[in-house]
Amino acid sequence: MRSRHPWPRVAGVALALALAVSPGVAFAQADALLEQGKQLMKKGKLAEACPKIEESYRLTPRSATLLALATCHEKQGKLATAWAEYIDLGAAARKEGNKRLEADAKARGAKLELRLPRLTLNVPRAAAIEGLEVTLDGEPVDSAAWGQARPIDPGEHKVSASAPGRKRWELSVTIKRGERKAVAVPALAKDGSAAPQPAPAEAPAKEAASPVAAAPDKRGTAPGKGAAGAGKGAAGAGKGAASAGPRKGAAGAEEGAAGAEEGAASATPDAAEEPEPTPAAAPKHSGTFVLEAGLAGGALIGLIDAGSFGDLSTYSYSYNVREGELIAPCDDEVCHASFDPAIGPFAGGTAFAGVALSEELHLGIRALGGYRFGGGYLLAGGPSASMRFGRLWLGLSGLAAAVGQNAKVTGVKGEIPSDLVGLNYGRTEVNVNAREGSLPETALVQTLAFGGSVEVSLVLADWPSSSWTSGALLLSAWPTFMKGLDGFVIAAPVSLGYRFY
């Protein structure tokens, strides 16, 4: 039999239709919001674009929408927000099996991470009282995160701390791109205005404090008011002083003590900031390429005491043999020239190409080269590592170099065969037979050298940005020491360079 009341069936059909249509409506609405957001972003209206894209992602969470949202927040300057969204995008792309999008999200996040501001909230042991709550922009910060550097968007932020029975403390902090700051939460001053908490066993005291309960007993009314007046007097209120004159003086004394505590607390925030957080607390990243180029100048000291200055075959030398004396011709195998040390100014450049293993550690290859005034050169290169400590970069480089110096020639000597050293009074070499004036006064002597260089760089300016010009201006010193095949080479260049990252 058919039902006489078709309304339940109609309602069921309507509900089914609504459930079937609503996902399509939400999808269409999300698409419209996403398209509006993209158009606004192209026009530079980021304050309007980002909320629309965010609402689109809330309606239908899709990777393409999240990519647009992260891009919008990055352009808006909300670096930490965009960085977190790129991480979420990489995880979503990995689940979808979209390796290209995953790699793109990872690269964008790694590039952005170099420019993230980081704020460290330090809570000294003396300030870590029971019930202490620390907030950042109104959001509670878990105690496990105290002392840890946390990525944060550039701009102004408010740090506050509160605890039962203590005065609330607040501090506004402004942080720039790539900047690192630390804020120390001071010990909170006691709040004398806070109403005393009754002990659990003293339940009748609540009734005594109630005006209704105290009304029948007129003799108890005055003490009740006096207690209330004392409580208000501690807060500096005028009403509490109306009950008795002595209480008024006590209230003033308590009010003065509270004012002194307030003055001490207000002076604390100025000294609370620390210049830099500990490097170990900074998050790590990898895969970002680093390039550096700079102009260098300094001194090049060549202690090369032996070498060749050209064709030595025009010279000869003599030494004793068993049959008498032998005159032997010179060549580069048996004869060499000797030189005085040479010191001269050096001008050239330095370069570095590598990868950022973390925010504070760069690993790659360094090159150093240039011209020595007065004649000579230095061409060196090898593996290099740099580590950042605040505004200082310290590093080490292993170098292999070709070195040339124009130095004064002090003579030419020829070698005596080892089996004839005894016939030549133990000498291993003798002076060549050179006509007077035939030796050049100076000559270019060259050698291969191996050693290392120490880097000490000061960050003069840091300009992190989203463009290819992102980087820092460095003033660097490169004390260099190398052992040559014959002698030593010492260089002390100073460079002004720019490190792109």
Side-chain angles (χ1 to χ4, degrees):
M1 296 179 63
R2 293 184 179 180
S3 174
R4 296 180 180 179
H5 301 285
W7 300 112
R9 182 179 298 177
V10 172
V13 171
L15 179 60
L17 287 174
L19 293 175
V21 171
S22 58
V25 173
F27 191 87
Q29 186 179 0
D31 269 354
L33 287 170
L34 177 60
E35 186 59 30
Q36 292 173 16
K38 287 183 177 180
Q39 292 300 324
L40 289 169
M41 187 163 53
K42 288 180 180 179
K43 296 177 182 179
K45 298 179 180 180
L46 301 175
E48 301 175 36
C50 295
K52 288 185 178 294
I53 301 175
E54 189 170 4
E55 177 64 14
S56 173
Y57 184 71
R58 187 189 68 80
L59 291 173
T60 56
R62 292 178 292 176
S63 296
T65 309
L66 185 55
L67 175 60
L69 181 60
T71 304
C72 188
H73 282 148
E74 181 179 359
K75 291 182 177 181
Q76 198 176 20
K78 296 182 177 181
L79 304 185
T81 302
W83 174 70
E85 289 165 346
Y86 282 132
I87 292 178
D88 292 341
L89 177 60
R94 184 165 54 253
K95 289 181 180 179
E96 296 169 3
N98 192 337
K99 294 184 178 180
R100 183 175 181 180
L101 181 59
E102 180 186 356
D104 182 51
K106 184 178 180 181
R108 287 170 180 255
K111 182 180 179 181
L112 193 61
E113 190 174 0
L114 286 172
R115 299 180 289 137
L116 285 180
R118 290 180 175 84
L119 181 66
T120 303
L121 301 179
N122 292 322
V123 181
R125 183 176 298 178
I129 60 176
E130 184 178 356
L132 178 68
E133 182 181 53
V134 180
T135 64
L136 177 61
D137 296 328
E139 295 294 329
V141 179
D142 191 87
S143 59
W146 296 349
Q148 300 296 318
R150 55 192 295 139
I152 192 171
D153 290 330
E156 186 174 339
H157 300 271
K158 181 172 288 186
V159 181
S160 64
S162 60
R166 303 284 177 148
K167 292 185 178 181
R168 182 180 179 84
W169 171 84
E170 289 185 353
L171 179 68
S172 293
V173 181
T174 301
I175 192 165
K176 301 177 182 178
R177 290 187 177 188
E179 190 176 9
R180 290 184 293 260
K181 280 190 175 182
V183 172
V185 176
L188 301 183
K190 292 183 178 180
D191 188 0
S193 65
Q197 299 293 330
E202 297 178 357
K206 293 183 179 179
E207 299 178 1
S210 172
V212 177
D217 188 1
K218 294 183 179 180
R219 290 176 299 174
T221 301
K225 288 182 179 178
K232 293 180 180 178
K239 292 181 180 180
S243 62
R247 289 194 186 98
K248 186 173 184 179
E254 292 180 5
E255 184 176 358
E261 289 180 354
E262 285 181 5
S266 63
T268 306
D270 293 337
E273 290 195 36
E274 298 177 2
E276 293 289 340
T278 54
K284 305 300 178 183
H285 62 271
S286 62
T288 304
F289 290 105
V290 179
L291 295 175
E292 180 186 333
L295 298 176
L300 180 61
I301 305 171
L303 304 177
I304 306 172
D305 53 11
S308 175
F309 56 76
D311 187 9
L312 298 177
S313 61
T314 58
Y315 301 98
S316 61
Y317 65 106
S318 59
Y319 53 88
N320 297 328
V321 295
R322 291 180 176 81
E323 295 79 15
E325 185 178 15
L326 176 66
I327 298 176
C330 273
D331 57 39
D332 290 339
E333 295 293 328
V334 295
C335 292
H336 63 85
S338 56
F339 301 85
D340 278 343
I343 302 175
F346 165 86
T350 179
F352 175 84
V355 65
L357 297 183
S358 72
E359 185 179 325
E360 290 81 19
L361 180 60
H362 293 173
L363 183 65
I365 297 175
R366 181 166 296 282
L368 177 65
Y371 172 78
R372 173 186 174 272
F373 294 96
Y377 62 88
L378 171 66
L379 295 174
S384 178
S386 296
M387 180 168 285
R388 184 168 184 169
F389 300 90
R391 297 187 65 85
L392 281 179
W393 282 94
L394 302 179
L396 291 173
S397 300
L399 301 176
V403 185
Q405 67 173 30
N406 198 37
K408 182 180 179 180
V409 180
T410 58
V412 178
K413 294 185 178 181
E415 295 180 359
I416 298 175
S418 58
D419 57 337
L420 299 176
V421 169
L423 298 175
N424 289 273
Y425 312 103
R427 292 178 298 179
T428 58
E429 57 184 19
V430 294
N431 292 326
V432 303
N433 302 319
R435 297 185 305 275
E436 187 175 351
S438 64
L439 291 178
E441 183 176 347
T442 61
L444 181 66
V445 58
Q446 305 174 80
T447 187
L448 294 177
F450 304 89
S453 177
V454 176
E455 173 196 3
V456 181
S457 298
L458 174 66
V459 178
L460 299 180
D462 203 359
W463 293 301
S465 70
S466 58
S467 69
W468 66 271
T469 58
S470 176
L473 183 66
L474 304 179
L475 179 64
S476 307
W478 307 94
T480 303
F481 182 85
M482 291 180 287
K483 174 68 173 68
L485 299 180
D486 294 287
F488 298 89
V489 178
I490 301 173
V494 175
S495 70
L496 181 65
Y498 194 86
R499 183 170 294 188
F500 297 87
Y501 55 78

